[in-house]
Amino acid sequence: MTDTSSNQGSLSTAELEDLVASTDTGGRTPDNKSIAIFMAAVALIWSLWQIWIASPLPYLIGTGVFSGREARPIHLGFSIFLAFLAYPALKTSPRHRIPFTDWILAIVGSLCALYIFIADSSLINSIFGTRLSDRPGNPGSFDIIVASIGIVMLLEATRRALGPPLMVVAIVFLGYTFLGPYAPGFLAWKGASFGAVADHQWLSSEGVFGIALGVSTGLVFLFVLFGALLDKAGAGNYFIKVAFSLMGHMRGGPAKAAVVASGMTGLISGSSIANVVTTGTFTIPMMKRVGFSPEKSGAVEVASSVNGQIMPPVMGAAAFLMVEYVDISYFEVVKHAFIPAIISYIALVYIVHLEAMKSNMEGLPRAVQPKPTKLALLSMGITISAILAIGGAIYYLFMLFQMLGTNLNQLIAVLIVFALQAVLVFGVKKQITDEQKLLGVVSTGGIVLCNLVIGAFGVFFLVGFITEMAGPVFAPWVIGALIILAYVALVAICAKVPDLVMDDPNAPVTALPEPRPTILAGLHFLLPVGVLIWCLMIERLSPELSAFWAVALMIFILLTQRQLFAYFRKEALSGTAARGFKELIEGLISGARNMIGIGIATAAAGIIVGTVSQTGVGLVLAELVEFLSQGQILLMLIFTAILSLILGMGLPTTANYIVVSSLLAPVIVSLGQQNGLIVPLIAVHLFVFYFGIMADVTPPVGLASFAAAAVSGGDPIRTGFVAFFYSLRTAILPFLFIFNTELLLIDVTPLEGVFVFIVATAAMLLFTAGTQGYFMAKSRIWESALLILIAFTLFRPGFWMDLIVPPYEQKSATEIEAVLGSVETGTEIRLIVDGLDDVGDPLTITAILPIESDGTGAERLEALGLELLIEDDKVIIDNAAFDSPSEAAGLDFDQVIKQVLVPSDQPARELLYIPALVILGLIFLMQRRRNPSGAASSATVS
């Protein structure tokens, strides 16, 4: 590949670096060394302060504790100060010096942000005898002046860091606050005074300093910092090399490796643009080398990099906002998002495979030839079976010893688990030594995977044993010591293989790196990720505390890994400590600079949220969208998706999510209830989130597409459209999990969850094959249509079954007591109810009532908290008891029950899988007959 600067229609290397810097960290690099050091020092202090407030240390020593009202202004103060120093005002503004006006703006803006903290301090109270919090809703003249200047400074910082769109949207909402009486028709409202707006937007916690900025302060910063430290330690290159060593030999292997590498680097970079450049600089030239066009190679990188924001356990900033908006734990958010994210990535790998099949591409040469496809599939099957068998055996073994009830028996169970792991470790070592296949077919990778599963069981049991034996006081110290020992042991293993060096993407590739030494070279990077996942998923610690412990471990790793590698390799230790300390400082500075844009975005989005809460415009816009959709939830979802895509052309993902979810999420839930569809709030928020991540893909403004085109030399607009087409599988998933919440693992057992994952993955692959026009061979139009229809049937078999056999029998409202007395316990009945909404307009809803107790119809009515008044053929709700199932279902006084729906004896919806699979088999046979040579190879992604 030639230098990108010579590619027609692409950005030069310098312009590419400037694009990434200006988007993520600020494009200004002062020549004055003292100023550069000062900016770095401010960023460093910001990172250290964020680590301090997240740590348990302030609470232990009883000093240095910051409340949310105190921490948010400081967080925004740092963001605004660095934004004016790091981001030039205009394209023509100086990049290598900071104008005097920017210094003034930085100081004034940060002081305005800090005003809430300063005005509430004990010093101000002792001087003036009053604090800001002592006069809520009654700001003084000086308060209003500071708030007004602060909002202007924030809007200018937003324009610099994020571009004009978010600033313009915020100004429009602010203007509406003042000009409400002059707004047309249904948008008109009484308006607000200058003081009221200043107080609501800046001095209270309803606007700028609201939930969004609070999430940025308490959660997002630590996760971004964790990623920056992980990257500075070398994990980014490690993930790329591992992906290429494992997948580079497959058809279209570099593109598949790019997908996997981008998914893994999603742990490191919260920025899709930085992700594109980090992995794309290496992967895009590789993809072009095996036959991908510049546009397709850039589009694959864009689609996989943007999807990094939906990949658990470390998702984008919007995921942390969901914790606050939906009021569920982060563990629940991750659980609900897991299957759609995995399916989306699998489908993208399959898209790459189909593109390779269309062009008959080959992979890159591998140093050690892999096993034949059939043997590899057999190996995979045996490995998965072994994992399930070993995992189940260990689980029941531990349950048996736990039933015996002594700590000694639990310790014996732990020892047995690790003894089994030791046997498998010996098996790996023996296989590597004499190059024999264990059982003839099980690969080294399979044994390693079994080891990981067994190790996870062992760690789980061991931590439980230590916690019980050492008690809550000493257990953390013991566990911490074991983590350090595990880290040292992993470094000892890593030190036996050479360090990974980033290859020159322009150099010819003679062979891919060998998987074993590549994987071993960075095993210690997995430990902090494991600690983060453990704290989030197993210990159920708060996201802040989980991220703090992961960051603390990363700091320890950066300070010690160089010395440990030198020690185990018997190299000189001189200079290793200084190098590790330098990398730590650079990582802390990088993490803070990566947060500038996010801090500004969440604060500016707070202006929009504040306007919605102050004016009630959210209800007005919701009614407008509801009117346009004519009460049809599918149209409502389409309008929501379109709104997200339009806003996504200029707003970052986080701001897009805040705006759309604040306006439309409650309306979708309400409209779903009116249509008899119970839509969980988390499903709606994930729907908005998924379309929000398209912000960096959507033409013509998708910055990630421009960055990828700059590397590939392709046309940016065409790259964006191809990336958008590749991302269709991401766009279709939100519609599916709105109507099939099992995809979000809502109300399913673990076994049902496995079944849902398998079926949904197969359906998504068929949908991908249908939209790509290629399955076993090039598909005819009717074959593509049938593949999409089969995919829909696998996703929603209930849609067709409801057309064949209605799911509910209609009963008269006057029969409700008899119906309740006849249905089985555990059944859910539905009531069609007429009533009035909050503003007195007629409203029809569908209420779902679970029958959870035995008894007569009257007893069950009482258990539901429902009192009825029957007048002739009219059934009126006389009372829905407080905190009862009836109230939770949306029933209220004076509503009229029109119909009662009782579940019918509908056949299992899964029966419709049979005709769908039969049709799929016929398509398979027809396409295999047309392309017999490619059938075998296309049956697997390898």
Side-chain angles (χ1 to χ4, degrees):
M1 188 189 95
T2 59
D3 187 282
T4 54
S5 61
S6 64
N7 288 320
Q8 185 177 2
S10 68
L11 301 176
S12 67
T13 302
E15 289 173 327
L16 173 63
E17 293 174 352
D18 182 65
L19 171 64
V20 178
S22 61
T23 303
D24 289 334
T25 61
R28 186 176 277 153
T29 53
D31 289 332
N32 188 310
K33 188 175 180 181
S34 298
I35 294 178
I37 292 174
F38 173 76
M39 291 176 62
V42 173
L44 177 62
I45 293 170
W46 188 12
S47 287
L48 293 175
W49 177 77
Q50 292 281 172
I51 294 172
W52 171 263
I53 64 172
S55 73
L57 190 59
Y59 299 94
L60 293 176
I61 64 177
T63 185
V65 177
F66 291 83
S67 67
R69 182 173 172 82
E70 295 168 331
R72 293 175 191 182
I74 297 174
H75 179 83
L76 182 58
F78 276 115
S79 299
I80 291 180
F81 187 80
L82 288 174
F84 281 111
L85 297 186
Y87 290 88
L90 302 167
K91 289 184 178 180
T92 56
S93 300
R95 300 300 177 96
H96 301 292
R97 66 179 179 85
I98 301 176
F100 179 73
T101 52
D102 284 359
W103 284 105
I104 297 299
L105 292 174
I107 293 171
V108 172
S110 58
L111 286 177
C112 289
L114 291 169
Y115 179 72
I116 293 179
F117 174 72
I118 297 171
D120 263 345
S121 65
S122 56
L123 177 62
I124 294 296
N125 186 43
S126 62
I127 296 175
F128 298 102
T130 180
R131 301 184 186 186
L132 180 64
S133 56
D134 295 333
R135 48 182 191 277
N138 186 30
S141 299
F142 187 71
D143 298 332
I144 296 174
I145 292 172
V146 171
S148 302
I149 296 173
I151 290 175
V152 173
M153 293 295 101
L154 174 60
L155 291 173
E156 170 58 15
T158 302
R159 184 193 67 81
R160 293 190 182 202
L162 302 165
L166 180 56
M167 179 199 71
V168 171
V169 172
I171 289 175
V172 169
F173 274 78
L174 268 179
Y176 174 72
T177 308
F178 295 108
L179 304 175
Y182 307 101
F186 63 92
L187 287 176
W189 82 293
K190 66 177 182 178
S193 67
F194 210 78
V197 173
D199 178 67
H200 189 84
Q201 292 285 7
W202 196 264
L203 304 177
S204 74
S205 59
E206 296 293 328
V208 170
F209 297 96
I211 290 176
L213 187 63
V215 171
S216 177
T217 305
L219 290 174
V220 180
F221 191 103
L222 283 176
F223 280 87
V224 171
L225 180 61
F226 173 69
L229 295 176
L230 202 57
D231 184 46
K232 191 58 64 175
N237 184 36
Y238 171 69
F239 290 149
I240 294 172
K241 285 294 188 73
V242 168
F244 267 85
S245 68
L246 294 176
M247 307 190 74
H249 65 284
M250 301 176 178
R251 283 182 178 271
K256 293 174 183 175
V259 174
V260 176
S262 295
M264 291 191 290
T265 51
L267 290 171
I268 296 174
S269 173
S271 164
S272 54
I273 297 172
N275 201 348
V276 165
V277 175
T278 301
T279 59
T281 304
F282 185 71
T283 60
I284 289 175
M286 295 285 193
M287 285 187 259
K288 292 172 67 178
R289 189 170 291 129
V290 297
F292 281 87
S293 68
E295 287 77 18
K296 286 185 178 180
S297 58
V300 169
E301 183 58 49
V302 169
S304 53
S305 294
V306 170
N307 261 31
Q309 296 182 65
I310 65 173
M311 179 59 70
V314 184
M315 301 164 69
F320 301 110
L321 288 164
M322 281 184 215
V323 174
E324 300 295 330
Y325 288 155
V326 187
D327 194 24
I328 59 177
S329 69
Y330 188 69
F331 171 82
E332 291 294 318
V333 172
V334 170
K335 183 186 80 171
H336 296 317
F338 180 73
I339 284 185
I342 295 296
I343 291 174
S344 184
Y345 262 102
I346 291 174
L348 184 55
V349 172
Y350 190 54
I351 287 175
V352 169
H353 175 67
L354 293 177
E355 291 285 1
M357 290 297 300
K358 291 177 187 177
S359 304
N360 198 26
M361 298 178 190
E362 298 295 334
L364 295 173
R366 192 171 181 178
V368 178
Q369 292 303 315
K371 293 179 292 185
T373 301
K374 291 183 179 180
L375 192 60
L377 289 174
L378 182 59
S379 171
M380 183 189 302
I382 292 179
T383 300
I384 294 174
S385 300
I387 289 173
L388 294 175
I390 293 171
I394 292 173
Y395 175 78
Y396 287 113
L397 171 71
F398 185 73
M399 289 298 103
L400 174 63
F401 278 104
Q402 196 172 45
M403 288 172 61
L404 297 178
T406 66
N407 293 327
L408 179 61
N409 286 327
Q410 293 182 37
L411 179 60
I412 292 172
V414 172
L415 293 176
I416 291 174
V417 169
F418 283 115
L420 180 59
Q421 189 171 27
V423 171
L424 286 180
V425 170
F426 176 76
V428 174
K429 185 176 180 181
K430 177 177 176 56
Q431 180 180 349
I432 292 169
T433 302
D434 57 19
E435 298 182 357
Q436 293 177 351
K437 300 286 191 298
L438 183 66
L439 301 179
V441 290
V442 179
S443 65
T444 301
I447 302 174
V448 171
L449 192 56
C450 287
N451 265 289
L452 289 175
V453 174
I454 295 170
F457 272 107
V459 170
F460 178 77
F461 297 151
L462 182 61
V463 170
F465 174 76
I466 292 173
T467 303
E468 188 170 342
M469 291 295 294
V473 177
F474 296 103
W477 296 98
V478 176
I479 294 171
L482 289 176
I483 290 174
I484 300 302
L485 288 175
Y487 161 62
V488 174
L490 288 173
V491 171
I493 296 172
C494 298
K496 295 179 181 179
V497 297
D499 287 334
L500 298 178
V501 180
M502 178 66 81
D503 297 329
D504 181 2
N506 298 311
V509 178
T510 56
L512 290 168
E514 294 184 34
R516 177 181 175 272
T518 304
I519 293 172
L520 292 180
L523 282 178
H524 62 299
F525 294 138
L526 302 179
L527 190 59
V529 178
V531 168
L532 177 63
I533 295 173
W534 182 273
C535 292
L536 281 172
M537 305 299 165
I538 307 299
E539 296 296 333
R540 303 290 182 92
L541 300 180
S542 67
E544 301 101 310
L545 196 55
S546 301
F548 166 76
W549 289 120
V551 167
L553 182 56
M554 275 309 309
I555 292 174
F556 182 78
I557 289 174
L558 280 165
L559 289 174
T560 59
Q561 67 171 350
R562 300 296 175 189
Q563 298 93 304
L564 287 174
F565 272 100
Y567 171 79
F568 287 116
R569 290 171 177 169
K570 303 189 185 313
E571 298 172 350
L573 291 172
S574 60
T576 55
R579 183 181 175 188
F581 183 75
K582 179 184 177 184
E583 290 172 343
L584 171 60
I585 298 300
E586 289 175 350
L588 292 172
I589 294 171
S590 176
R593 294 199 63 160
N594 288 339
M595 271 301 300
I596 298 173
I598 298 176
I600 296 294
T602 51
I607 293 177
I608 300 167
V609 175
T611 300
V612 171
S613 63
Q614 187 173 22
T615 65
V617 68
L619 295 175
V620 176
L621 293 176
E623 287 181 7
L624 174 62
V625 175
E626 186 175 349
F627 171 76
L628 293 175
S629 66
Q630 293 296 304
Q632 297 297 316
I633 189 168
L634 184 59
L635 281 177
M636 178 75 171
L637 292 171
I638 292 173
F639 284 138
T640 303
I642 292 172
L643 177 61
S644 296
L645 291 176
I646 292 173
L647 291 175
M649 292 183 183
L651 269 62
T653 304
T654 304
N656 188 355
Y657 165 75
I658 293 171
V659 174
V660 180
S661 64
S662 300
L663 293 175
L664 298 180
V667 185
I668 295 175
V669 173
S670 174
L671 194 58
Q673 188 181 31
Q674 295 176 37
N675 284 266
L677 180 67
I678 303 304
V679 184
L681 190 57
I682 181 62
V684 180
H685 279 261
L686 282 173
F687 181 94
V688 174
F689 181 38
Y690 266 63
F691 279 98
I693 68 169
M694 307 296 285
D696 292 326
V697 178
T698 311
V701 194
L703 291 179
S705 299
F706 277 86
V711 178
S712 69
D715 178 76
I717 301 299
R718 286 183 60 193
T719 299
F721 276 109
V722 176
F724 185 77
F725 184 67
Y726 285 167
S727 299
L728 277 179
R729 88 252 176 252
T730 302
I732 198 69
L733 275 170
F735 286 97
L736 293 170
F737 60 59
I738 286 287
F739 293 98
N740 183 8
T741 56
E742 290 180 349
L743 284 173
L744 302 180
L745 298 180
I746 295 176
D747 296 330
V748 297
T749 64
L751 186 59
E752 290 171 340
V754 172
F755 180 75
V756 167
F757 172 71
I758 294 172
V759 173
T761 301
M764 182 52 69
L765 295 182
L766 292 173
F767 174 81
T768 300
T771 54
Q772 290 294 308
Y774 198 98
F775 185 40
M776 297 294 111
K778 185 177 180 180
S779 298
R780 298 186 174 97
I781 294 178
W782 63 270
E783 289 176 332
S784 294
L786 279 178
L787 287 172
I788 295 174
L789 191 63
I790 293 168
F792 177 76
T793 302
L794 294 180
F795 271 123
R796 281 208 68 201
F799 176 83
W800 304 114
M801 185 59 75
D802 289 349
L803 295 178
I804 299 170
V805 180
Y808 293 97
E809 296 178 12
Q810 297 182 4
K811 302 288 185 180
S812 170
T814 56
E815 300 178 62
I816 182 171
E817 186 172 329
V819 167
L820 286 175
S822 62
V823 298
E824 297 180 359
T825 303
T827 303
E828 288 183 342
I829 67 167
R830 299 190 172 206
L831 305 182
I832 308 299
V833 180
D834 286 346
L836 301 176
D837 61 13
D838 295 336
V839 294
D841 293 331
L843 177 71
T844 300
I845 66 170
T846 301
I848 297 180
L849 295 178
I851 310 303
E852 299 174 343
S853 61
D854 296 327
T856 64
E859 291 171 340
R860 284 177 165 175
L861 269 178
E862 184 178 356
L864 291 170
L866 198 59
E867 297 178 15
L868 303 177
L869 181 63
I870 301 178
E871 298 178 351
D872 298 328
D873 293 334
K874 193 175 183 180
V875 180
I876 304 171
I877 297 176
D878 197 37
N879 184 37
F882 175 74
D883 198 26
S884 66
S886 297
E887 185 191 47
L891 299 180
D892 203 355
F893 170 75
D894 211 30
Q895 291 176 337
V896 179
I897 300 176
K898 306 298 291 183
Q899 276 186 337
V900 180
L901 303 180
V902 183
S904 63
D905 293 330
Q906 189 183 62
R909 58 187 180 179
E910 288 77 14
L911 289 175
L912 290 171
Y913 290 162
I914 297 174
L917 294 176
V918 169
I919 297 173
L920 177 62
L922 293 175
I923 295 175
F924 174 86
L925 292 175
M926 285 187 291
Q927 293 204 1
R928 180 168 183 170
R929 191 175 297 115
R930 293 205 303 268
N931 187 17
S933 61
S937 57
S938 65
T940 172
V941 292
S942 60

